[in-house]
């Protein structure tokens, strides 16, 4: 069944209004007809089964047939603070981590970041990243569109993550897989998690020490050095495995 993310303001009682790109896709691409059913997600954890009522100028109207809570989300909100990478690597990171259940992704300029876009480029990139997140969320059947934060500094990212129940920092110079297993096994369902991933050059030692002062737990992802675009996917896969529930 076709699925659309619709702003919650467009859901009024038993009626849904669809406009913009979703209207174009519904009317001109998949060509839904009156009476045909589709699903709407409000981005707040609700799914609506709807039937198309009519096309009007600039919008489509649909009747809500039933409502249910979305069960596809992880119980824990995971925020990824990703060291800003070169090229289009961020797009891959966003796509795959959204599929794996991340709640929020924040691009971070770190000491060893090679890519340092100016303000104009940042605005353009974040807009693109949000579009990728929405597309990946639709593909994965997510109940929300994960947030893509504004590009920020490492210190700003640490301040933002300070209230998390768990702050994880995978570090290529770390060792002790058994200790890492203990740290990860201590994460409970429903607890908030912040994960910091370094850019291509890795974390500067001063960044690691600063994070540790704020309670970050340094972990290892194994004996092999992972690329900046591989590490977040590895971490999200582990967390999804630990936190996924049957129902």
């Amino acid at each position: 069944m076709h699925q659309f993310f619709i702003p919650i303001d467009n859901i009024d009682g038993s009626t849904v209004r669809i406009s913009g790109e979703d209207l174009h896709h519904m009317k001109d691409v998949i060509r839904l007809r009156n009476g045909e059913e589709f699903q709407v997600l409000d981005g707040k954890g609700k799914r609506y089964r709807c039937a198309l009522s009519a096309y009007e100028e600039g919008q489509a109207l649909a009747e809500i047939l039933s409502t249910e809570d979305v069960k596809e989300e992880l119980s824990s909100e995971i925020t990824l603070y990703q060291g800003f990478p070169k090229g289009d690597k961020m797009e891959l990171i966003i796509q795959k981590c959204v599929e794996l259940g991340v709640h929020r992704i924040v691009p971070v300029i770190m000491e060893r970041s090679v890519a340092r876009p100016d303000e104009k480029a940042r605005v353009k990139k974040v807009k693109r990243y949000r579009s990728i997140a929405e597309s990946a969320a639709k593909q994965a059947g997510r109940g929300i569109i994960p947030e893509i934060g504004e590009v920020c500094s490492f210190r700003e990212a640490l301040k933002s993550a300070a209230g998390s129940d768990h702050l994880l920092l995978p570090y290529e110079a770390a060792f002790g897989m058994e200790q890492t297993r203990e740290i990860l096994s201590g994460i409970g369902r429903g607890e908030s998690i912040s994960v910091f991933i370094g850019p291509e050059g890795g974390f500067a030692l001063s960044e690691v020490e600063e994070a540790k002062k704020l309670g970050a737990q340094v972990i290892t992802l194994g004996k092999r050095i992972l690329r900046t675009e591989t590490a977040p996917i590895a971490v999200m896969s582990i967390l999804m495995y630990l936190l996924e529930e049957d129902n």
Side-chain angles (χ1 to χ4, degrees):
M1 186 178 294
H2 297 289
Q3 185 166 275
F4 301 89
F5 276 102
I6 302 297
I8 198 166
D9 291 343
N10 286 20
I11 301 171
D12 183 14
S14 61
T15 303
V16 174
R17 292 177 285 109
I18 300 98
S19 58
E21 285 298 317
D22 288 322
L23 172 63
H24 166 68
H25 188 76
M26 176 182 289
K27 184 177 182 180
D28 302 322
V29 179
I30 61 176
R31 299 184 179 182
L32 282 181
R33 299 179 180 180
N34 288 356
E36 290 189 305
E37 295 185 10
F38 59 95
Q39 292 181 340
V40 161
L41 294 161
D42 63 8
K44 304 295 183 181
K46 294 286 186 182
R47 177 184 286 116
Y48 307 81
R49 184 169 64 89
C50 303
L52 181 63
S53 301
Y55 288 113
E56 296 184 353
E57 185 175 353
Q59 65 178 359
L61 299 178
E63 178 188 2
I64 296 175
L65 304 177
S66 63
T67 305
E68 64 178 0
D69 293 328
V70 176
K71 299 178 181 179
E72 287 79 9
E73 294 303 310
L74 295 175
S75 61
S76 294
E77 292 188 1
I78 304 171
T79 300
L80 170 65
Y81 293 92
Q82 174 66 47
F84 204 94
K86 296 184 293 185
D88 58 1
K89 295 176 184 177
M90 194 71 185
E91 298 184 7
L92 173 68
I93 292 167
I94 291 170
Q95 182 188 69
K96 299 309 176 188
C97 289
V98 167
E99 290 178 18
L100 290 166
V102 77
H103 189 83
R104 181 170 177 249
I105 300 175
V106 181
V108 184
I109 301 296
M110 299 184 185
E111 185 173 326
R112 294 179 179 173
S113 294
V114 176
R116 295 175 178 271
D118 59 25
E119 187 60 33
K120 184 177 180 180
R122 291 183 184 188
V123 171
K124 185 176 180 180
K125 284 180 179 293
V126 169
K127 183 179 180 180
R128 167 70 176 158
Y129 296 159
R130 288 172 178 164
S131 175
I132 291 169
E134 180 174 350
S135 178
K138 288 179 180 178
Q139 186 278 326
R142 295 284 304 270
I144 65 166
I145 301 173
E147 177 189 351
I148 305 299
E150 301 292 340
V151 181
C152 68
S153 69
F154 184 73
R155 187 156 292 177
E156 288 170 332
L158 281 180
K159 183 177 179 180
S160 173
S164 300
D165 294 316
H166 300 274
L167 203 167
L168 306 177
L169 193 147
Y171 185 39
E172 65 271 16
F175 62 92
M177 185 56 79
E178 193 58 39
Q179 182 180 4
T180 293
R181 290 192 183 99
E182 289 181 13
I183 291 171
L184 295 178
S185 65
I187 298 174
R189 292 185 174 125
E191 296 179 328
S192 59
I193 306 163
S194 290
V195 180
F196 278 74
I197 301 293
E200 286 87 354
F203 292 105
L205 182 58
S206 60
E207 291 173 330
V208 176
E209 293 303 319
E210 188 174 359
K212 287 168 68 175
K213 288 178 182 177
L214 290 179
Q217 295 174 296
V218 177
I219 62 174
T220 177
L221 296 179
K223 299 177 181 178
R224 294 150 299 282
I225 296 176
L226 304 183
R227 293 178 182 270
T228 187
E229 66 269 31
T230 307
I233 297 172
V235 174
M236 280 303 306
S237 298
I238 293 167
L239 292 174
M240 182 189 71
Y241 174 78
L242 293 173
L243 300 170
E244 194 76 85
E245 296 180 290
D246 290 332
N247 298 315

